[in-house]
């Protein structure tokens, strides 16, 4: 093409609009990011625990397990296993008779 290029625009290196940080400022920002990450992780873990506790409460309610605080989860899981064993042995079995995984845990 016969049009001349504008070399001055193409040859210029783009300058970053970000302020150049001192090592101390970089370290401070790094620490702030780490703290924010730690807080987010803590919040996610709290939500996860709340979800798990809610599911245990729901399962305990479905199985009519009395909540005795200490060992409640163990009681709930034990009742669930017993109920599944009853269902396995009953006419409306939810487990296959040849289920090796289940048989290993009897």
């Amino acid at each position: 093409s016969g049009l001349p290029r504008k070399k001055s625009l193409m040859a210029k290196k783009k300058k970053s609009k970000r302020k150049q940080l001192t090592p101390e400022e970089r370290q401070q920002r790094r620490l702030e990011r780490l703290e924010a990450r730690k807080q987010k992780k803590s919040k996610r873990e709290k939500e996860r625990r709340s979800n798990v506790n809610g599911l245990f409460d729901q399962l305990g309610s479905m199985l009519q397990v009395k909540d005795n605080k200490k060992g409640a989860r163990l009681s709930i899981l034990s009742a669930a296993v017993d109920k599944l064993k009853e269902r396995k042995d009953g006419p409306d079995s939810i487990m296959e008779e040849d289920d090796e995984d289940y048989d290993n845990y009897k």
Side-chain angles (χ1 to χ4, degrees):
S1 70
L3 297 175
R5 290 188 172 191
K6 294 184 179 181
K7 290 187 179 188
S8 61
L9 291 179
M10 294 184 77
K12 277 188 180 178
K13 185 176 179 182
K14 289 186 178 180
K15 288 187 178 181
S16 176
K17 291 184 179 182
R18 292 182 0 186
K19 176 185 165 193
Q20 293 297 322
L21 301 176
T22 65
E24 294 81 16
E25 290 172 325
R26 269 196 298 276
Q27 179 66 11
Q28 181 62 32
R29 285 196 180 179
R30 182 179 161 278
L31 293 174
E32 289 169 359
R33 284 193 310 270
L34 288 174
E35 183 61 29
R37 189 179 311 151
K38 183 178 176 182
Q39 289 175 356
K40 286 179 187 178
K41 183 178 178 181
S42 176
K43 183 180 177 185
R44 283 192 312 267
E45 177 61 19
K46 186 175 181 180
E47 289 170 357
R48 186 196 68 79
R49 279 193 318 268
S50 177
N51 191 16
V52 168
N53 289 336
L55 291 172
F56 266 106
D57 290 344
Q58 184 179 0
L59 184 58
S61 173
M62 292 170 67
L63 296 169
Q64 299 172 347
V65 174
K66 302 260 191 279
D67 187 19
N68 63 349
K69 294 295 177 193
K70 194 168 190 176
R73 287 180 170 203
L74 182 59
S75 299
I76 291 169
L77 290 175
S78 180
V81 168
D82 291 344
K83 191 69 158 178
L84 289 172
K85 283 181 181 178
E86 289 173 17
R87 296 286 307 263
K88 180 185 186 285
D89 297 335
D92 298 331
S93 177
I94 61 169
M95 304 242 181
E96 296 293 326
E97 291 297 324
D98 60 352
D99 188 348
E100 294 176 20
D101 289 335
Y102 179 77
D103 292 335
N104 290 336
Y105 293 104
K106 275 188 174 179

